[in-house]
Amino acid sequence: KQEVTQIPAALSVPEGENLVLNCSFTDSAIYNLQWFRQDPGKGLTSLLLIQSSQREQTSGRLNASLDKSSGRSTLYIAASQPGDSATYLCAVREETSGSRLTFGEGTQLTVNP
Amino acid sequence: GAGVSQSPRYKVAKRGQDVALRCDPISGHVSLFWYQQALGQGPEFLTYFQNEAQLDKSGLPSDRFFAERPEGSVSTLKIQRTQQEDSAVYLCASSVIAGGPLGSGELFFGEGSRLTVL
C-alpha cells in the first residue's frame, strides 16, 4: 500500500527565507506527483504537477523536484512571504491504483512578517 | 462554472440522520472524485467517476456511503444513518481526464462540505 510522508509537519520561518518542504513515497510506480496548497477552511489549490518522466517543475517562486527512483519530492519556496502561510500537501497518482491520489498529511507553514 | 462548486458548505446532522452533499464540477470535466478529510489529516480517496460510470468505489468506508453521477455532470454523495466518525470535510475534485500515461490528470478541488455529526 502506498504511503506518503511529509516532513516537517509544521514549519515557522521569518519572511524572506528560502525553504524546502519534503515529501516521500514508498512505491515508486507513479504516474505523477502533485503539490497542493490548502488555506484554513478552504479546498485544495493545485500548485505544481510533475509527471513521472519529469525531474522538476517551476511556477514563479515555487520549484518542485521529483526523484522517482528514490521516492522523493521537494517543494522549494523562494523569498517566502506571509501570504505563503498555509498547509502544503503532496499527493501521488500510482500506476496500479487507477486514478486515485494518495496524500501526505501536509506541512503547515507559517511565514512571520 | 469557473471552478468546482460544493454545497452545502457546512452541515450539522444528528446521529442517525441521512445527509446529501452535492458537487458541481468544472464544465466539461470527465472525471470526478470524492475525498474525505479528517481534521489535521490529508484527504482520503472515497470514489471516482468517469462521466456517469462509477469506476472505483473502493474507498467508501461502509455501505452507508453512496455516490452517484447520473448524467455525468453533477454528483451527490449520500451518507445514511450518520455516525460521529463521519464528521469530516468532504472534498470533490474534477479533472479533464483521469490521467494515466496519456494525460496530466491534474485535479481541481472544490472548497468542501464540512459535516459535523452530533
Side-chain angles (χ1 to χ4, degrees):
Chain A
K1 179 186 172 187
Q2 177 77 268
E3 291 184 5
V4 180
T5 303
Q6 292 188 245
I7 295 173
L11 182 63
S12 181
V13 300
E15 182 177 5
E17 269 202 11
N18 302 323
L19 55 99
V20 174
L21 307 182
N22 296 291
C23 173
S24 62
F25 46 95
T26 54
D27 187 343
S28 61
I30 64 169
Y31 278 138
N32 58 45
L33 182 145
Q34 199 166 353
W35 281 94
F36 295 89
R37 168 187 173 135
Q38 187 172 34
D39 292 284
K42 301 290 187 181
L44 279 65
T45 300
S46 178
L47 297 174
L48 291 164
L49 172 70
I50 311 177
Q51 301 297 339
S52 60
S53 59
Q54 297 174 324
R55 297 284 294 185
E56 66 179 338
Q57 283 284 338
T58 298
S59 176
R61 294 182 293 107
L62 304 179
N63 176 277
S65 67
L66 174 65
D67 184 342
K68 182 182 170 182
S69 60
S70 67
R72 295 179 186 174
S73 176
T74 61
L75 179 66
Y76 176 82
I77 303 176
S80 58
Q81 303 171 357
D84 294 331
S85 299
T87 296
Y88 291 80
L89 294 153
C90 74
V92 299
R93 172 172 281 137
E94 300 171 66
E95 293 177 1
T96 56
S97 67
S99 298
R100 67 169 65 189
L101 293 180
T102 302
F103 283 84
E105 294 193 347
T107 293
Q108 186 174 351
L109 173 65
T110 303
V111 181
N112 301 299
Chain B
V4 178
S5 177
Q6 293 188 244
S7 61
R9 289 291 318 280
Y10 303 93
K11 175 70 178 177
V12 178
K14 292 183 179 179
R15 189 162 58 94
Q17 276 187 330
D18 297 348
V19 300
L21 308 176
R22 175 190 167 104
C23 173
D24 200 340
I26 294 172
S27 178
H29 278 197
V30 168
S31 299
L32 185 145
F33 303 79
W34 284 98
Y35 285 82
Q36 180 190 58
Q37 187 176 25
L39 189 64
Q41 304 292 314
E44 296 273 348
F45 171 82
L46 293 177
T47 187
Y48 157 61
F49 290 86
Q50 188 163 322
N51 295 306
E52 69 279 2
Q54 189 174 19
L55 299 186
D56 186 351
K57 56 181 181 179
S58 61
L60 296 176
S62 79
D63 59 7
R64 295 186 296 104
F65 287 71
F66 172 76
E68 60 183 5
R69 193 186 185 197
E71 297 179 358
S73 55
V74 172
S75 177
T76 303
L77 176 67
K78 297 179 180 178
I79 308 173
Q80 297 176 322
R81 304 181 305 280
T82 53
Q83 304 293 316
Q84 284 188 323
E85 62 263 27
D86 300 335
S87 296
V89 175
Y90 291 86
L91 295 165
C92 177
S94 69
S95 68
V96 175
I97 57 174
L102 299 180
S104 73
E106 186 173 8
L107 258 61
F108 298 89
F109 280 80
E111 295 207 330
S113 292
R114 181 178 296 276
L115 172 65
T116 302
V117 182
L118 303 177

